[in-house]
Amino acid sequence: MVQENEKNTDTVSKKIYSYIGLAQKAGKLAAGEFLTEKAIKEGRAKLILISEEASANTRKKFIDSGTYYSVPVYLLGSKEELGHAMGKEFRASAAVLEEGLAAAIIKQLAYLEHEDQRRR
């Protein structure tokens, strides 16, 4: 049963990173701190993703911005994983700019959170 849950978690993680790559290819992703912040302030961000390795200041800045501008914020993977999904090296943050892609990613993230809660 544990192995099955791990497979499901891996599959879901791959889906999330695939959606991020799709958003990048479609021009619907703002990657990096400066562009993420700009997208949030312009009201274009539908979802904020922050690397789990991001500094405390970066996390706080984007969590506060997400709260202020009513944009969902999630912590996701390493800087390398986040960047790799976009075809870049390292990225600490990204903003998804398209509602449908943001909703698809949030749905998968909710599944991961649910699985994480079940393991505890």
Side-chain angles (χ1 to χ4, degrees):
M1 186 69 172
V2 171
Q3 282 185 328
E4 186 176 317
N5 285 342
E6 286 178 18
K7 284 183 187 177
N8 289 342
T9 301
D10 288 344
T11 303
V12 171
S13 293
K14 286 178 185 175
K15 275 187 186 179
I16 292 168
Y17 291 118
S18 292
Y19 285 136
I20 293 169
L22 186 62
Q24 175 70 26
K25 287 178 185 169
K28 299 297 181 184
L29 190 77
E33 288 191 48
F34 177 77
L35 292 177
T36 301
E37 186 174 9
K38 184 177 181 204
I40 295 166
K41 289 181 177 177
E42 291 175 351
R44 297 182 304 131
K46 308 299 180 206
L47 170 65
I48 302 166
L49 299 170
I50 308 168
S51 165
E52 292 172 352
E53 298 175 345
S55 71
N57 286 341
T58 299
R59 285 185 188 200
K60 181 177 178 357
K61 175 170 67 173
F62 288 121
I63 290 169
D64 290 350
S65 292
T67 301
Y68 183 79
Y69 289 97
S70 299
V71 179
V73 180
Y74 287 89
L75 294 176
L76 177 68
S78 68
K79 288 180 180 181
E80 187 174 1
E81 289 171 325
L82 195 54
H84 181 72
M86 301 171 211
K88 312 282 185 196
E89 266 195 56
F90 301 99
R91 290 294 181 269
S93 63
V96 179
L97 310 177
E98 202 274 322
E99 192 72 45
L101 284 168
I105 293 169
I106 290 169
K107 180 179 176 182
Q108 298 303 317
L109 287 165
Y111 177 82
L112 282 181
E113 285 181 348
H114 175 73
E115 285 299 310
D116 191 41
Q117 292 297 322
R118 284 183 48 188
R119 283 192 217 120
R120 291 181 185 178

Short mmCIF file of all heavy atoms in Angstrom, two decimals, residues 7-43:
data_model
loop_
_atom_site.label_atom_id
_atom_site.label_comp_id
_atom_site.label_asym_id
_atom_site.label_seq_id
_atom_site.Cartn_x
_atom_site.Cartn_y
_atom_site.Cartn_z
N LYS A 7 3.94 5.76 -5.67
CA LYS A 7 3.80 5.84 -7.13
C LYS A 7 2.81 6.94 -7.49
O LYS A 7 3.06 7.72 -8.41
CB LYS A 7 3.31 4.50 -7.69
CG LYS A 7 4.38 3.45 -7.77
CD LYS A 7 3.81 2.19 -8.40
CE LYS A 7 4.80 1.06 -8.34
NZ LYS A 7 4.25 -0.18 -8.89
N ASN A 8 1.69 6.97 -6.79
CA ASN A 8 0.69 8.00 -7.05
C ASN A 8 1.27 9.39 -6.82
O ASN A 8 1.03 10.30 -7.60
CB ASN A 8 -0.55 7.80 -6.17
CG ASN A 8 -1.36 6.60 -6.59
OD1 ASN A 8 -1.23 6.09 -7.70
ND2 ASN A 8 -2.20 6.12 -5.69
N THR A 9 2.03 9.56 -5.75
CA THR A 9 2.64 10.84 -5.42
C THR A 9 3.63 11.24 -6.50
O THR A 9 3.66 12.40 -6.93
CB THR A 9 3.33 10.77 -4.04
OG1 THR A 9 2.35 10.42 -3.07
CG2 THR A 9 3.94 12.10 -3.66
N ASP A 10 4.44 10.30 -6.97
CA ASP A 10 5.40 10.59 -8.04
C ASP A 10 4.68 11.00 -9.32
O ASP A 10 5.09 11.94 -10.00
CB ASP A 10 6.29 9.38 -8.33
CG ASP A 10 7.31 9.13 -7.23
OD1 ASP A 10 7.53 10.05 -6.40
OD2 ASP A 10 7.86 8.02 -7.20
N THR A 11 3.61 10.29 -9.65
CA THR A 11 2.84 10.60 -10.85
C THR A 11 2.23 11.99 -10.75
O THR A 11 2.28 12.77 -11.71
CB THR A 11 1.71 9.56 -11.06
OG1 THR A 11 2.30 8.27 -11.13
CG2 THR A 11 0.91 9.83 -12.31
N VAL A 12 1.70 12.33 -9.59
CA VAL A 12 1.09 13.64 -9.39
C VAL A 12 2.16 14.73 -9.48
O VAL A 12 1.94 15.77 -10.11
CB VAL A 12 0.34 13.69 -8.04
CG1 VAL A 12 -0.10 15.11 -7.71
CG2 VAL A 12 -0.86 12.77 -8.08
N SER A 13 3.32 14.51 -8.88
CA SER A 13 4.41 15.49 -8.96
C SER A 13 4.82 15.72 -10.41
O SER A 13 5.02 16.86 -10.82
CB SER A 13 5.61 15.02 -8.15
OG SER A 13 5.32 15.02 -6.79
N LYS A 14 4.92 14.65 -11.17
CA LYS A 14 5.28 14.78 -12.59
C LYS A 14 4.23 15.59 -13.34
O LYS A 14 4.57 16.41 -14.20
CB LYS A 14 5.46 13.40 -13.23
CG LYS A 14 6.73 12.72 -12.81
CD LYS A 14 6.86 11.33 -13.42
CE LYS A 14 8.10 10.63 -12.88
NZ LYS A 14 8.20 9.26 -13.34
N LYS A 15 2.95 15.37 -13.01
CA LYS A 15 1.88 16.13 -13.65
C LYS A 15 2.02 17.62 -13.34
O LYS A 15 1.87 18.46 -14.22
CB LYS A 15 0.50 15.67 -13.14
CG LYS A 15 -0.08 14.51 -13.85
CD LYS A 15 -1.50 14.29 -13.35
CE LYS A 15 -2.09 13.05 -13.93
NZ LYS A 15 -3.46 12.81 -13.45
N ILE A 16 2.31 17.93 -12.09
CA ILE A 16 2.46 19.34 -11.68
C ILE A 16 3.58 19.99 -12.48
O ILE A 16 3.40 21.07 -13.05
CB ILE A 16 2.71 19.45 -10.17
CG1 ILE A 16 1.47 19.04 -9.39
CG2 ILE A 16 3.13 20.88 -9.80
CD1 ILE A 16 1.69 18.84 -7.90
N TYR A 17 4.73 19.34 -12.53
CA TYR A 17 5.86 19.91 -13.26
C TYR A 17 5.58 19.99 -14.76
O TYR A 17 6.03 20.90 -15.44
CB TYR A 17 7.15 19.14 -12.96
CG TYR A 17 7.62 19.36 -11.53
CD1 TYR A 17 7.71 18.30 -10.63
CD2 TYR A 17 7.95 20.63 -11.08
CE1 TYR A 17 8.13 18.51 -9.32
CE2 TYR A 17 8.36 20.85 -9.78
CZ TYR A 17 8.45 19.78 -8.90
OH TYR A 17 8.85 20.00 -7.61
N SER A 18 4.79 19.05 -15.29
CA SER A 18 4.39 19.10 -16.70
C SER A 18 3.50 20.32 -16.96
O SER A 18 3.65 21.00 -17.98
CB SER A 18 3.64 17.83 -17.10
OG SER A 18 4.50 16.73 -17.08
N TYR A 19 2.57 20.57 -16.04
CA TYR A 19 1.71 21.75 -16.18
C TYR A 19 2.54 23.04 -16.13
O TYR A 19 2.26 23.99 -16.86
CB TYR A 19 0.65 21.79 -15.09
CG TYR A 19 -0.50 20.82 -15.27
CD1 TYR A 19 -0.98 20.08 -14.20
CD2 TYR A 19 -1.12 20.66 -16.50
CE1 TYR A 19 -2.04 19.21 -14.35
CE2 TYR A 19 -2.18 19.79 -16.66
CZ TYR A 19 -2.64 19.06 -15.58
OH TYR A 19 -3.69 18.19 -15.74
N ILE A 20 3.55 23.06 -15.27
CA ILE A 20 4.42 24.24 -15.18
C ILE A 20 5.15 24.43 -16.51
O ILE A 20 5.23 25.54 -17.03
CB ILE A 20 5.40 24.11 -14.00
CG1 ILE A 20 4.64 24.17 -12.67
CG2 ILE A 20 6.47 25.21 -14.06
CD1 ILE A 20 5.46 23.79 -11.45
N GLY A 21 5.67 23.34 -17.07
CA GLY A 21 6.34 23.41 -18.37
C GLY A 21 5.40 23.87 -19.47
O GLY A 21 5.77 24.68 -20.33
N LEU A 22 4.17 23.38 -19.44
CA LEU A 22 3.17 23.79 -20.42
C LEU A 22 2.87 25.28 -20.30
O LEU A 22 2.78 26.00 -21.30
CB LEU A 22 1.89 22.97 -20.21
CG LEU A 22 0.77 23.16 -21.21
CD1 LEU A 22 1.22 22.75 -22.61
CD2 LEU A 22 -0.43 22.33 -20.79
N ALA A 23 2.75 25.76 -19.06
CA ALA A 23 2.51 27.19 -18.84
C ALA A 23 3.67 28.02 -19.39
O ALA A 23 3.46 29.07 -20.01
CB ALA A 23 2.31 27.47 -17.35
N GLN A 24 4.90 27.54 -19.19
CA GLN A 24 6.07 28.25 -19.70
C GLN A 24 6.04 28.32 -21.22
O GLN A 24 6.23 29.38 -21.80
CB GLN A 24 7.36 27.54 -19.22
CG GLN A 24 8.64 28.10 -19.78
CD GLN A 24 8.99 29.47 -19.23
OE1 GLN A 24 8.58 29.83 -18.13
NE2 GLN A 24 9.72 30.24 -19.98
N LYS A 25 5.76 27.20 -21.86
CA LYS A 25 5.72 27.15 -23.32
C LYS A 25 4.61 28.03 -23.90
O LYS A 25 4.76 28.60 -24.97
CB LYS A 25 5.55 25.71 -23.81
CG LYS A 25 6.79 24.88 -23.63
CD LYS A 25 6.57 23.45 -24.07
CE LYS A 25 7.80 22.62 -23.75
NZ LYS A 25 7.56 21.20 -23.91
N ALA A 26 3.51 28.12 -23.16
CA ALA A 26 2.38 28.93 -23.61
C ALA A 26 2.55 30.42 -23.29
O ALA A 26 1.70 31.23 -23.64
CB ALA A 26 1.10 28.41 -22.97
N GLY A 27 3.62 30.76 -22.59
CA GLY A 27 3.84 32.16 -22.22
C GLY A 27 2.95 32.60 -21.08
O GLY A 27 2.66 33.78 -20.91
N LYS A 28 2.50 31.64 -20.29
CA LYS A 28 1.58 31.93 -19.18
C LYS A 28 2.23 31.70 -17.83
O LYS A 28 1.57 31.31 -16.87
CB LYS A 28 0.31 31.06 -19.30
CG LYS A 28 -0.47 31.30 -20.58
CD LYS A 28 -0.99 32.72 -20.64
CE LYS A 28 -1.79 32.96 -21.91
NZ LYS A 28 -2.21 34.35 -22.01
N LEU A 29 3.53 31.95 -17.74
CA LEU A 29 4.27 31.75 -16.50
C LEU A 29 5.26 32.90 -16.33
O LEU A 29 5.97 33.25 -17.27
CB LEU A 29 5.02 30.42 -16.55
CG LEU A 29 5.65 29.94 -15.26
CD1 LEU A 29 4.56 29.37 -14.34
CD2 LEU A 29 6.68 28.87 -15.53
N ALA A 30 5.26 33.50 -15.17
CA ALA A 30 6.26 34.51 -14.82
C ALA A 30 7.22 33.83 -13.85
O ALA A 30 6.81 33.42 -12.76
CB ALA A 30 5.59 35.72 -14.17
N ALA A 31 8.48 33.68 -14.25
CA ALA A 31 9.44 32.94 -13.44
C ALA A 31 10.52 33.86 -12.89
O ALA A 31 10.95 34.80 -13.56
CB ALA A 31 10.08 31.84 -14.28
N GLY A 32 10.96 33.56 -11.66
CA GLY A 32 11.97 34.39 -11.00
C GLY A 32 11.30 35.42 -10.11
O GLY A 32 10.13 35.77 -10.31
N GLU A 33 12.04 35.89 -9.14
CA GLU A 33 11.44 36.79 -8.14
C GLU A 33 10.89 38.08 -8.74
O GLU A 33 9.78 38.48 -8.42
CB GLU A 33 12.47 37.11 -7.05
CG GLU A 33 12.72 35.92 -6.14
CD GLU A 33 13.51 36.29 -4.91
OE1 GLU A 33 13.16 37.30 -4.26
OE2 GLU A 33 14.47 35.56 -4.60
N PHE A 34 11.66 38.72 -9.60
CA PHE A 34 11.23 40.01 -10.15
C PHE A 34 9.95 39.87 -10.97
O PHE A 34 8.98 40.62 -10.75
CB PHE A 34 12.34 40.64 -11.01
CG PHE A 34 11.93 41.92 -11.65
CD1 PHE A 34 11.89 43.10 -10.92
CD2 PHE A 34 11.57 41.96 -12.99
CE1 PHE A 34 11.49 44.29 -11.51
CE2 PHE A 34 11.17 43.15 -13.59
CZ PHE A 34 11.13 44.32 -12.85
N LEU A 35 9.92 38.92 -11.90
CA LEU A 35 8.74 38.75 -12.76
C LEU A 35 7.53 38.22 -11.99
O LEU A 35 6.40 38.58 -12.29
CB LEU A 35 9.08 37.83 -13.94
CG LEU A 35 10.06 38.41 -14.95
CD1 LEU A 35 10.39 37.39 -16.03
CD2 LEU A 35 9.53 39.69 -15.57
N THR A 36 7.78 37.37 -11.00
CA THR A 36 6.69 36.87 -10.16
C THR A 36 6.04 38.03 -9.41
O THR A 36 4.81 38.18 -9.42
CB THR A 36 7.20 35.81 -9.16
OG1 THR A 36 7.80 34.73 -9.90
CG2 THR A 36 6.08 35.27 -8.30
N GLU A 37 6.88 38.86 -8.79
CA GLU A 37 6.36 40.01 -8.04
C GLU A 37 5.59 40.96 -8.96
O GLU A 37 4.52 41.45 -8.60
CB GLU A 37 7.52 40.73 -7.36
CG GLU A 37 7.09 41.84 -6.44
CD GLU A 37 8.25 42.44 -5.67
OE1 GLU A 37 9.42 42.12 -5.94
OE2 GLU A 37 7.97 43.26 -4.78
N LYS A 38 6.13 41.21 -10.14
CA LYS A 38 5.48 42.11 -11.09
C LYS A 38 4.10 41.57 -11.50
O LYS A 38 3.12 42.31 -11.54
CB LYS A 38 6.37 42.27 -12.33
CG LYS A 38 5.85 43.24 -13.34
CD LYS A 38 6.82 43.40 -14.50
CE LYS A 38 6.25 44.40 -15.49
NZ LYS A 38 6.77 44.23 -16.82
N ALA A 39 4.02 40.26 -11.79
CA ALA A 39 2.75 39.65 -12.19
C ALA A 39 1.71 39.74 -11.08
O ALA A 39 0.53 39.98 -11.34
CB ALA A 39 2.97 38.19 -12.59
N ILE A 40 2.15 39.56 -9.84
CA ILE A 40 1.24 39.65 -8.70
C ILE A 40 0.68 41.06 -8.60
O ILE A 40 -0.54 41.27 -8.50
CB ILE A 40 1.94 39.24 -7.39
CG1 ILE A 40 2.35 37.78 -7.43
CG2 ILE A 40 1.03 39.52 -6.19
CD1 ILE A 40 3.34 37.38 -6.34
N LYS A 41 1.56 42.05 -8.62
CA LYS A 41 1.14 43.45 -8.46
C LYS A 41 0.26 43.92 -9.61
O LYS A 41 -0.58 44.79 -9.42
CB LYS A 41 2.36 44.35 -8.30
CG LYS A 41 3.03 44.15 -6.95
CD LYS A 41 4.23 45.05 -6.77
CE LYS A 41 4.82 44.84 -5.38
NZ LYS A 41 6.02 45.64 -5.17
N GLU A 42 0.47 43.37 -10.80
CA GLU A 42 -0.35 43.74 -11.96
C GLU A 42 -1.68 42.99 -11.99
O GLU A 42 -2.50 43.23 -12.87
CB GLU A 42 0.42 43.47 -13.26
CG GLU A 42 1.59 44.41 -13.46
CD GLU A 42 2.42 44.05 -14.68
OE1 GLU A 42 2.21 42.98 -15.30
OE2 GLU A 42 3.30 44.86 -15.03
N GLY A 43 -1.88 42.07 -11.05
CA GLY A 43 -3.13 41.32 -10.99
C GLY A 43 -3.22 40.19 -12.00
O GLY A 43 -4.31 39.68 -12.26
#
